[in-house]
Amino acid sequence: MYDVVIIGSGPAGYVAAIRASQLGLNTVCVEESSDSDGNSQLGGTCLNVGCIPSKALLDSSHRYSDAIKHFSDHGIEVNKPKLDIAKMMDRKSKIVNQLTLGVSGLFKANKVTQVLGHAKIIDSNHVEVSSKKGSEILETKNIVIATGSSPINIPVAEINHKDIVDSTGALEFKTVPKKLGIIGAGVIGLELGSVWSRLGSEVTILEAMDEFLPMADKKIAKDVFKEFNKQGLNINLGCKVTSALSNKKDVTVTYENNGNLKELMVDKLIVAVGRKPNTDNLLGENCGLSVDEKGCIPVNDYCETNVQNIWAVGDVVRGPMLAHKASEEGIMVVERIAGKHAEMPYELVPSVIYTHPEVAWVGQTEEDLSASGIEFKTGSFPFAASGRALASGESTGFIKVIADKKTDTILGVHAFGPSAADIVQQAVVAMEFGASAEDLGLTIFSHPTVSEALHEAALAVNGQAIHIGNRKK
Ligand code: FAD
Ligand code: AMP
């Protein structure tokens, strides 16, 4: 009898498995994906076809485009850089392999048992695992569902894995498409669009909604839209794709815009319209679980399902589909299984778009606060006034700190600019400790760093910024 069976080895499952073992729980992790040698392919979406390979390509493509567009600003003249896509992809694959093998090593070191196969929950104490070798029943005191998510397919643009692909296919192109279409201006569409645009594709993004990045700060969304269009991502809002037809040469994309039908011809089309929770053949008839209208497994704030001893974490439950949210939920759950007190500060899950410049935020927006009737004050600082940002030639964007009007407690931090993700991370730490804008203002920031913009924005909340001329009395 195991203490816990964890289904899925993505950032929710593998992190939960390691912590469970650290806590002395007899732990098994079931993963259905296998590598070419027939071993479990650990790491889930994030390590294999998500966060890591996309960041590898974002980094490579950024260097390439920097060499073409910006080296000469620094007085460095180079011949036109030559692109070796095969080598770029090989580098990405090596990083993925290193990390997935690393998870396997961590499982061994932590004595997590690995089982390869598809898991199906029979009841709260039994999981059936089926593989080529047959099926077996695992007996357990607890079950943690961490089965993640997969790209949503839309019937109007069926994936053919050739010229109409999902995010996974878009990480594998062997040549740079001349004309690239993307359906969806969400985080994944923007990141993948950036990769291929930097490598030379003419990118057109079609987004059904009229609003760009509705979850972000309004002013940041406006600036980001302008900047990305300037960079060559041709983002079209209010354009709902109604069909995509592939012939051997190209893809004809038809979309509706203001009541008119329009056409776009592209060499490749990426469908990036969101992701759906993985629950196919997971919930046995008598296990007592079902999915909600979005396909998620319903859970409370502690990731408990409606069946005792069955928990669900990560992309398969409500909330943002983010690796760090998934991992922290996994840790919370196994700590609770081990009898410890643990909870998730959901209001402090940071979001990042790893474009260049990056977009990042944590906490509430001005719009959220106004809607809840909470009075607030804000302080902003432009990177154009940061010495380090200027020295690096990275002065686009700004950072905004939002604090409670009376208590000065920081309620949200929103950034668009160099190292925005790392800067916002500092705000997450401050907010975790209940910091006020004044606390951040009293903190010493190394000079010259782009992080000083956070310091200045925090000071600006109370009219005390040093390097901008709009100080309040
Ligand atoms: P997953 O990582 O999807 O893992 C679930 C695992 O469960 C899979 O390995 C699957 O094979 C296995 N499984 C499913 N069903 C069964 C079953 N019945 N039996 C056995 N095994 C099963 N997030 C970020 O935070 N930062 C980023 O930069 C980022 N970039 C991304 C880029 C792309 C292109 C994509 C697609 C996603 C990105 N994400 C990013 C999202 C991130 O990958 C997910 O939020 C994260 O992987 C969710 O973790 P998870 O463990 O819940 O699920
Ligand atoms: P996200 O869920 O953040 O990954 O973003 C996916 C985006 O795709 C959303 O902004 C959707 O509005 C958009 N989308 C979904 N279906 C279509 C469609 N048929 N045409 C254009 N955009 C779409």
Side-chain angles (χ1 to χ4, degrees):
M1 164 90 84
Y2 289 103
D3 290 318
V4 54
V5 169
I6 293 170
I7 307 176
S9 71
Y14 88 75
V15 170
I18 291 170
R19 176 56 58 84
S21 262
Q22 285 174 348
L23 291 163
L25 301 172
N26 184 11
T27 307
V28 57
C29 182
V30 186
E31 171 56 58
E32 66 182 355
S33 304
S34 58
D35 62 18
S36 49
D37 299 328
N39 298 316
S40 295
Q41 181 71 24
L42 304 176
T45 303
C46 173
L47 266 57
N48 292 286
V49 291
C51 325
I52 298 301
S54 61
K55 265 78 254 178
L57 292 184
L58 277 159
D59 197 59
S60 298
S61 60
H62 175 63
R63 283 161 198 259
Y64 176 71
S65 111
D66 219 22
I68 294 175
K69 293 188 180 155
H70 299 299
F71 273 19
S72 66
D73 300 344
H74 295 263
I76 304 168
E77 299 303 338
V78 288
N79 291 330
K80 191 172 181 297
K82 207 171 142 238
L83 198 56
D84 184 341
I85 283 274
K87 194 166 175 184
M88 196 178 277
M89 292 294 172
D90 192 44
R91 172 184 176 275
K92 176 204 70 173
S93 302
K94 282 187 180 134
I95 294 164
V96 168
N97 285 340
Q98 184 181 341
L99 289 170
T100 53
L101 284 176
V103 174
S104 190
L106 289 170
F107 272 10
K108 283 187 193 111
N110 285 282
K111 299 193 171 44
V112 173
T113 305
Q114 283 181 48
V115 172
L116 172 64
H118 179 89
K120 182 174 177 179
I121 299 170
I122 306 301
D123 59 37
S124 56
N125 296 112
H126 298 93
V127 174
E128 181 184 58
V129 182
S130 315
S131 67
K132 280 185 201 151
K133 290 187 184 150
S135 72
E136 63 173 314
I137 301 282
L138 305 176
E139 210 181 337
T140 181
K141 292 181 189 156
N142 294 279
I143 298 169
V144 179
I145 304 171
T147 51
S149 64
S150 306
I152 292 178
N153 295 324
I154 46 174
V156 294
E158 286 205 29
I159 307 298
N160 61 17
H161 303 288
K162 290 186 185 112
D163 49 11
I164 306 181
V165 300
D166 57 19
S167 59
T168 303
L171 295 167
E172 301 284 340
F173 290 155
K174 293 195 168 42
T175 54
V176 178
K178 201 163 172 296
K179 290 189 176 197
L180 174 66
I182 300 180
I183 313 180
V187 177
I188 293 176
L190 292 171
E191 290 187 2
L192 293 172
S194 296
V195 166
W196 294 106
S197 155
R198 291 171 192 166
L199 297 179
S201 293
E202 192 184 304
V203 176
T204 305
I205 303 184
L206 301 171
E207 166 56 57
M209 286 190 298
D210 292 319
E211 195 181 352
F212 180 63
L213 295 180
M215 61 293 197
D217 173 86
K218 288 267 170 301
K219 168 86 168 73
I220 286 187
K222 202 169 148 219
D223 288 10
V224 169
F225 184 79
K226 219 165 118 190
E227 172 64 23
F228 288 180
N229 275 290
K230 201 171 99 191
Q231 287 181 11
L233 291 183
N234 176 12
I235 307 168
N236 300 273
L237 303 176
C239 295
K240 188 171 170 35
V241 173
T242 53
S243 78
L245 294 176
S246 153
N247 58 52
K248 284 199 175 99
K249 270 175 58 203
D250 46 28
V251 182
T252 308
V253 185
T254 309
Y255 60 97
E256 214 177 275
N257 174 232
N258 287 330
N260 301 315
L261 276 187
K262 297 183 179 171
E263 262 185 19
L264 171 74
M265 305 291 282
V266 291
D267 304 309
K268 299 254 189 216
L269 179 67
I270 303 174
V271 182
V273 295
R275 299 179 61 80
K276 61 174 188 331
N278 290 332
T279 53
D280 282 355
N281 194 27
L282 171 72
L283 309 175
E285 265 173 45
N286 302 316
C287 76
L289 291 174
S290 55
V291 298
D292 67 15
E293 66 287 351
K294 289 187 176 152
C296 297
I297 295 181
V299 287
N300 64 13
D301 282 354
Y302 302 120
C303 293
E304 293 167 328
T305 67
N306 60 309
V307 179
Q308 216 182 357
N309 303 333
I310 305 187
W311 316 68
V313 294
D315 281 11
V316 77
V317 303
R318 81 290 171 260
M321 288 187 172
L322 294 168
H324 42 280
K325 175 259 191 189
S327 298
E328 291 305 319
E329 284 183 336
I331 287 177
M332 169 180 73
V333 160
V334 294
E335 298 225 336
R336 294 182 79 85
I337 290 173
K340 292 186 175 298
H341 173 82
E343 50 188 53
M344 264 293 281
Y346 280 105
E347 67 289 359
L348 291 183
V349 176
S351 295
V352 181
I353 310 177
Y354 292 89
T355 43
H356 196 89
E358 290 174 345
V359 187
W361 66 91
V362 61
Q364 304 189 69
T365 59
E366 293 187 42
E367 293 74 33
D368 297 334
L369 292 165
S370 298
S372 332
I374 298 171
E375 290 193 305
F376 59 88
K377 48 192 177 176
T378 66
S380 295
F381 191 79
F383 284 100
S386 151
R388 183 59 191 273
L390 280 173
S392 315
E394 304 270 3
S395 56
T396 300
F398 70 97
I399 180 157
K400 181 191 282 182
V401 173
I402 308 177
D404 185 280
K405 190 164 181 187
K406 286 197 195 79
T407 65
D408 199 41
T409 304
I410 303 170
L411 301 174
V413 174
H414 305 264
F416 170 46
S419 304
D422 292 292
I423 298 178
V424 164
Q425 190 56 49
Q426 300 172 49
V428 179
V429 176
M431 290 166 78
E432 178 70 35
F433 290 102
S436 61
E438 184 187 28
D439 289 328
L440 262 190
L442 289 168
T443 305
I444 298 175
F445 283 70
S446 306
H447 177 75
T449 56
V450 283
S451 297
E452 286 172 295
L454 174 63
H455 188 217
E456 290 275 7
L459 286 168
V461 169
N462 294 308
Q464 295 169 349
I466 301 295
H467 293 92
I468 42 175
N470 61 351
R471 273 190 277 164
K472 293 171 198 156
K473 288 263 157 57

